[in-house]
Amino acid sequence: MTIDTGMIQAKRSIDLNCDFGEGYGAYTFGQDAALLEHVTSVNIACGFHAGDPHTMREAVERAAGAGVAIGAHPGLPDRLGFGRREMAVSPQEVYDFTLYQIGALQAFVQSITGGTLRHVKPHGALYHMAGRNPALAEAFVRAVKSFDASLLIFGQWGSELLAAADKQGMLRVSEVFADRTYQQDGKLTPRDLPGALLTTPEAALAQTLAILTHGTVKTTTGLETTVQGDTVCLHGDGPHAAEFAAKLRQGLESAGVELRPPHAY
């Protein structure tokens, strides 16, 4: 595949993030060790949708050893649904869930690295609920701010989550997706619809480069819509996640894009 790199700015940089540490008990998911070779930040499950004290500790140790930025990935309390099923939760519950999970992960980060988390990104259904519901977005951001106002908040381009971060004076990073398809309104294609996932690393790289180059993405309608971001998400639980990550890193660096941990924009 030939990639047109002519329009990519020479000093353009991007963060490549992935979900991380999403096993629990005797169960292991994802390809964490292999992913660490390619990503620049990780979102570590905090015990609700996945993760437990042991996997959280191991995830922090691995991420710290690899020198990647560590973020919290709080989700809904739904292990059976992997946090991807929406629940009827109130803003106060979102606040409590978020604060609880950030605190749990920060305990390991402080103990192991002597430092602090870099960012917070809601997981799954919580991500999408907070992305479109201003009250839930406000509660999520308020929880992060009450814990540590210096933390970055990851949210989807154009979402209520980023708007809430702006309103509360929080640093935020706009996120786009390498391995998910988009609808014409700029939202991700729901996972229960055909074509929600990109199935080859070549397609993921082409989509990511199109976003960085033109600020647009081809939607499921065949038309394009505006999408911009400063961190690219690759889902770590896919069967070929490490292959996707390697292809993305190689392709982006070959196109003159620097990969580095997230900064506020």
Side-chain angles (χ1 to χ4, degrees), residues 60 105-117:
V60 171
L105 187 62
Q106 171 58 23
F108 287 107
V109 174
Q110 173 64 36
S111 174
I112 293 166
T113 73
T116 187
L117 292 163

Side-chain angles (χ1 to χ4, degrees), residues 21-234:
E22 292 187 311
Y24 58 89
Y27 304 100
T28 301
F29 303 98
Q31 302 172 36
D32 287 359
L35 285 167
L36 281 178
E37 299 178 18
H38 309 295
V39 300
T40 48
S41 65
V42 293
N43 321 304
I44 298 179
C46 302
F48 271 29
H49 77 279
D52 61 34
H54 308 300
T55 59
M56 291 164 68
R57 173 186 53 77
E58 291 176 352
V60 171
E61 288 175 343
R62 289 179 176 180
V68 303
I70 299 174
H73 201 33
L76 296 174
D78 178 25
R79 283 190 187 274
L80 282 177
F82 197 61
R84 288 178 175 159
R85 302 184 295 190
E86 295 197 1
M87 299 174 65
V89 294
S90 68
Q92 185 61 59
E93 288 174 312
V94 168
Y95 177 92
D96 294 341
F97 292 162
T98 302
L99 187 59
Y100 180 94
Q101 292 176 81
I102 296 173
L105 187 62
Q106 171 58 23
F108 287 107
V109 174
Q110 173 64 36
S111 174
I112 293 166
T113 73
T116 187
L117 292 163
R118 178 64 174 154
H119 67 272
V120 183
K121 172 187 169 181
H123 167 81
L126 181 58
Y127 183 92
H128 296 295
M129 292 164 65
R132 66 173 185 269
N133 185 314
L136 298 184
E138 185 278 334
F140 184 90
V141 172
R142 185 161 45 87
V144 178
K145 185 176 184 178
S146 69
F147 184 83
D148 184 348
S150 72
L151 290 173
L152 302 177
I153 293 179
F154 280 23
Q156 189 176 353
W157 161 257
S159 68
E160 291 291 341
L161 190 58
L162 295 187
D166 289 339
K167 289 177 182 177
Q168 296 189 44
M170 289 290 289
L171 303 175
R172 47 75 147 200
V173 178
S174 179
E175 182 175 48
V176 294
F177 290 79
D179 53 3
R180 294 287 302 276
T181 61
Y182 283 82
Q183 297 180 298
Q184 196 59 39
D185 62 2
K187 294 183 173 61
L188 298 180
T189 305
R191 285 179 175 270
D192 59 353
L193 294 182
L197 302 175
L198 294 177
T199 57
T200 68
E202 290 79 13
L205 174 60
Q207 175 165 289
T208 303
L209 285 173
I211 293 171
L212 293 179
T213 305
H214 306 292
T216 60
V217 65
K218 183 174 288 187
T219 71
T220 52
T221 68
L223 302 176
E224 292 185 344
T225 192
T226 299
V227 175
Q228 298 178 22
D230 290 288
T231 186
V232 178
C233 175
L234 176 68

